[in-house]
Amino acid sequence: MAVKDKSVSFSDEPPKTIKKRLILNAFVETSSGHQSPGLWKHHDDQSVNFNDVKHWVNLAKQLEAGGFQGMFVADVLGGYDVYSSSLKPAIASSAQWPVNEPLAMVSAMAAATESLGFGVTISTSYEQPYHLARRLSTVDHLSGGR
């Protein structure tokens, strides 16, 4: 039985539940050491293969099989030189160093998957507009808009 007020409606019926969809996205970087320093010591770590496109294709397949909707590939344009005012600590610890250009592997990963979406960091400050638009358009077409 519902009781109505001029501004509020009350009901004995339970509220309808809204089914929410969980969206999973992976966050990676094409380097040997991303945001997990020391993880390279783990027996299952594969970061040594960051220069091998097969590594990234395999990761994309695993993410898609695990129900992920997307993979975001981060990028940095330079090494971290604030600690000790030098790049040496970043290089020695592989703190996002060295890092590959992220867009290069997206076509291969898209060809090996069916529904996984892709996002990448690209600096519009250092890219020529026509060249950047052409690269993004090509990957967009080759990936079917993913």
Side-chain angles (χ1 to χ4, degrees):
M1 171 163 89
V3 178
K4 290 203 174 189
D5 186 10
K6 291 182 181 180
S7 60
V8 181
S9 174
F10 299 95
S11 175
D12 293 333
E13 298 175 27
K16 294 181 180 178
T17 58
I18 299 172
K19 189 173 182 179
K20 293 183 179 182
R21 184 174 163 212
L22 180 64
I23 297 173
L24 299 172
N25 287 295
F27 179 68
V28 300
E29 185 178 53
T30 58
S31 65
S32 59
H34 184 209
Q35 297 291 332
S36 304
L39 191 59
W40 58 270
K41 294 179 182 179
H42 191 276
H43 64 276
D44 288 335
D45 180 63
Q46 297 295 313
S47 63
V48 71
N49 298 319
F50 78 100
N51 277 327
D52 187 348
V53 72
K54 293 176 197 163
H55 167 72
W56 298 104
V57 167
N58 185 45
L59 177 59
K61 288 179 178 180
Q62 288 178 11
L63 291 172
E64 186 172 63
F68 278 68
Q69 281 75 35
M71 174 193 290
F72 179 77
V73 188
D75 193 14
V76 294
L77 295 175
Y80 298 111
D81 60 359
V82 293
Y83 182 72
S84 301
S85 299
S86 170
L87 283 173
K88 289 180 182 179
I91 293 169
S93 66
S94 295
Q96 299 180 1
W97 185 280
V99 63
N100 294 325
E101 193 279 322
L103 193 60
M105 67 197 179
V106 171
S107 291
M109 293 189 298
T113 58
E114 304 221 356
S115 62
L116 190 67
F118 300 96
V120 297
T121 301
I122 295 179
S123 174
T124 56
S125 300
Y126 299 104
E127 295 271 356
Q128 292 296 319
Y130 173 78
H131 182 62
L132 176 59
R134 184 174 182 226
R135 288 175 43 221
L136 290 172
S137 176
T138 299
V139 172
D140 183 48
H141 289 295
L142 294 175
S143 69
R146 293 187 286 137

